[in-house]
Amino acid sequence: MLGVVPLPNIDVYLGAAQLPGSTPLESAIARAWLKEHQAEYDRVEFNVRLGEGVVLPPGSPDYMQKFVRASTTKRADMILYNGNVATIVEVKIRIGGSAVGQLLLYKKLLLAAHPEIADVKLIAAGSTIEQDVRDFYTGHDITVEIFPLAAPVS
């Protein structure tokens, strides 16, 4: 793609045993995805918090509000950018039906927080997929990518 700058420090991500917010197996899938798509984006964020989370009643201790909000906000595995177009990648070892809802919600929350984003693409990446859900993803304009040989860094 013309004019796209490769991700800075991509070698750090590709060599990491565990990416922020991911298990070693999820990290292996994410690394495989990044390796294949790194030239398409100019930046990446991991473990991205989206939304408000639970808001405690007024007067709740500050430390409690911070803890509850941090533990109840939604968390996107990876968000990559090419200019003002974002791509949300949800990584699952086995892709089932749950990532559809996650991705659709993450898109809504990202656009609400960042109106400057022109478009959001959605991707589910995994080692396998339950065959009876594949059409459900494509019906919601979500790309599914499978990396069956993704293995953790030893």
Side-chain angles (χ1 to χ4, degrees):
M1 228 177 194
L2 191 59
V4 176
V5 179
L7 293 173
N9 302 319
I10 189 65
D11 292 335
V12 172
Y13 303 129
L14 295 177
Q18 198 165 339
L19 297 172
S22 298
T23 68
L25 286 174
E26 291 166 339
S27 294
I29 296 163
R31 281 192 311 275
W33 191 92
L34 281 168
K35 189 178 246 185
E36 188 169 308
H37 295 283
Q38 63 185 321
E40 300 169 28
Y41 301 95
D42 44 38
R43 72 183 200 275
V44 61
E45 298 175 0
F46 297 95
N47 198 30
V48 181
R49 296 290 179 174
L50 297 167
E52 296 295 316
V54 172
V55 178
L56 294 177
S60 298
D62 217 24
Y63 74 90
M64 183 72 88
Q65 290 180 28
K66 288 178 185 175
F67 171 78
V68 169
R69 185 159 289 180
S71 62
T72 60
T73 52
K74 307 305 177 250
R75 185 191 60 79
D77 292 331
M78 292 191 296
I79 301 180
L80 298 97
Y81 298 88
N82 182 353
N84 66 349
V85 176
T87 299
I88 302 173
V89 180
E90 183 62 22
V91 178
K92 301 287 187 195
I93 296 165
R94 185 185 79 237
I95 300 172
S98 66
V100 169
Q102 287 176 276
L103 285 163
L104 293 173
L105 178 59
Y106 297 163
K107 178 179 180 177
K108 177 184 181 292
L109 295 172
L110 183 65
L111 287 170
H114 298 281
E116 73 278 8
I117 294 175
D119 190 24
V120 178
K121 297 175 183 177
L122 304 175
I123 296 174
S127 284
T128 62
I129 184 168
E130 297 171 6
Q131 287 306 311
D132 56 352
V133 301
R134 187 180 286 274
D135 290 344
F136 191 59
Y137 281 82
T138 56
H140 284 85
D141 202 24
I142 298 171
T143 301
V144 174
E145 295 189 42
I146 303 299
F147 298 90
L149 301 176
V153 171
S154 50

